[in-house]
Coordinates of all heavy atoms in Angstrom, one line a residue:
I266 N -0.2 -9.7 -12.3 CA -1.5 -10.2 -11.9 C -2.0 -9.4 -10.7 O -3.2 -9.0 -10.6 CB -1.3 -11.7 -11.6 CG1 -1.3 -12.5 -12.9 CG2 -2.5 -12.2 -10.7 CD1 -1.4 -14.0 -12.8
C267 N -1.1 -9.1 -9.8 CA -1.5 -8.3 -8.6 C -2.0 -6.9 -9.0 O -3.0 -6.4 -8.4 CB -0.3 -8.2 -7.6 SG 0.1 -9.7 -6.8
R268 N -1.3 -6.2 -9.9 CA -1.7 -4.9 -10.3 C -3.1 -4.9 -11.0 O -3.9 -4.1 -10.7 CB -0.6 -4.3 -11.3 CG -0.9 -2.9 -11.7 CD 0.3 -2.2 -12.3 NE 0.6 -2.8 -13.6 CZ 0.4 -2.2 -14.8 NH1 0.0 -1.0 -14.8 NH2 0.8 -2.7 -15.9
H269 N -3.2 -5.9 -11.9 CA -4.5 -5.9 -12.6 C -5.7 -6.4 -11.7 O -6.8 -6.0 -11.9 CB -4.4 -6.9 -13.8 CG -3.7 -6.4 -15.0 ND1 -4.2 -5.9 -16.1 CD2 -2.3 -6.2 -15.2 CE1 -3.3 -5.4 -17.0 NE2 -2.2 -5.6 -16.4
S270 N -5.3 -7.3 -10.8 CA -6.4 -7.9 -9.9 C -6.5 -7.0 -8.6 O -7.5 -7.4 -7.8 CB -6.1 -9.3 -9.5 OG -6.0 -10.1 -10.7
K271 N -5.7 -6.0 -8.4 CA -5.7 -5.2 -7.2 C -5.6 -6.1 -5.9 O -6.5 -6.0 -5.0 CB -6.9 -4.4 -7.1 CG -7.0 -3.4 -8.3 CD -8.1 -2.4 -8.1 CE -8.1 -1.4 -9.3 NZ -8.4 -2.0 -10.6
V272 N -4.7 -7.0 -5.9 CA -4.4 -7.9 -4.7 C -2.9 -8.0 -4.4 O -2.1 -7.4 -5.1 CB -4.9 -9.3 -5.1 CG1 -6.4 -9.4 -5.3 CG2 -4.2 -9.9 -6.3
G273 N -2.7 -8.6 -3.3 CA -1.3 -8.9 -2.9 C -1.1 -10.4 -3.0 O -2.0 -11.2 -3.4
V274 N 0.2 -10.9 -2.7 CA 0.5 -12.3 -2.9 C 1.6 -12.7 -1.9 O 2.5 -11.9 -1.6 CB 0.9 -12.6 -4.4 CG1 2.2 -12.0 -4.7 CG2 0.9 -14.1 -4.7
N275 N 1.6 -13.9 -1.5 CA 2.8 -14.5 -0.8 C 3.2 -15.8 -1.6 O 2.4 -16.7 -1.8 CB 2.4 -14.9 0.6 CG 2.8 -13.9 1.6 OD1 3.4 -12.9 1.3 ND2 2.3 -14.1 2.9
I276 N 4.5 -15.8 -1.9 CA 5.0 -16.9 -2.7 C 6.1 -17.5 -1.8 O 6.8 -16.8 -1.1 CB 5.7 -16.4 -4.0 CG1 4.6 -15.8 -4.9 CG2 6.5 -17.5 -4.7 CD1 3.6 -16.8 -5.4
F277 N 6.2 -18.8 -1.8 CA 7.1 -19.5 -0.9 C 8.3 -20.1 -1.7 O 8.1 -20.9 -2.6 CB 6.4 -20.6 -0.2 CG 5.3 -20.0 0.8 CD1 4.0 -20.0 0.3 CD2 5.6 -19.5 2.0 CE1 3.0 -19.3 1.0 CE2 4.6 -18.9 2.8 CZ 3.4 -18.8 2.3
E278 N 9.5 -19.7 -1.2 CA 10.7 -20.1 -1.9 C 10.8 -21.6 -2.0 O 11.1 -22.2 -3.1 CB 11.9 -19.6 -1.1 CG 13.2 -20.0 -1.8 CD 14.5 -19.7 -0.9 OE1 14.3 -19.0 0.1 OE2 15.5 -20.1 -1.3
D279 N 10.4 -22.3 -0.9 CA 10.6 -23.7 -1.0 C 9.5 -24.5 -1.8 O 9.6 -25.6 -2.1 CB 10.6 -24.4 0.5 CG 9.3 -24.1 1.2 OD1 8.5 -23.4 0.7 OD2 9.2 -24.6 2.4
K280 N 8.6 -23.7 -2.4 CA 7.6 -24.2 -3.3 C 7.9 -24.0 -4.8 O 7.2 -24.5 -5.7 CB 6.2 -23.6 -3.0 CG 5.7 -23.9 -1.6 CD 5.0 -25.2 -1.6 CE 4.2 -25.3 -0.2 NZ 4.0 -26.7 0.1
L281 N 9.0 -23.2 -5.0 CA 9.3 -22.8 -6.4 C 9.7 -24.1 -7.1 O 10.6 -24.8 -6.7 CB 10.4 -21.8 -6.4 CG 10.1 -20.4 -5.9 CD1 11.3 -19.5 -6.0 CD2 9.0 -19.7 -6.7
P282 N 9.1 -24.3 -8.3 CA 9.5 -25.5 -9.1 C 10.8 -25.3 -9.8 O 10.9 -24.5 -10.8 CB 8.3 -25.7 -10.0 CG 7.7 -24.4 -10.2 CD 8.0 -23.6 -9.0
I283 N 11.9 -25.8 -9.4 CA 13.2 -25.7 -10.0 C 13.7 -27.1 -10.3 O 13.8 -27.9 -9.4 CB 14.2 -24.9 -9.1 CG1 13.6 -23.5 -8.8 CG2 15.6 -24.8 -9.8 CD1 14.5 -22.7 -7.8
D284 N 14.0 -27.3 -11.6 CA 14.5 -28.6 -12.0 C 15.9 -28.9 -11.3 O 16.7 -28.0 -11.2 CB 14.8 -28.6 -13.5 CG 15.3 -29.9 -14.0 OD1 14.6 -30.9 -14.2 OD2 16.6 -29.9 -14.3

Side-chain angles (χ1 to χ4, degrees):
I266 286 193
C267 287
R268 183 165 69 109
H269 284 258
S270 300
K271 301 188 177 62
V272 293
V274 69
N275 265 350
I276 293 299
F277 297 94
E278 180 190 351
D279 60 357
K280 300 273 187 202
L281 292 176
I283 301 176
D284 177 79

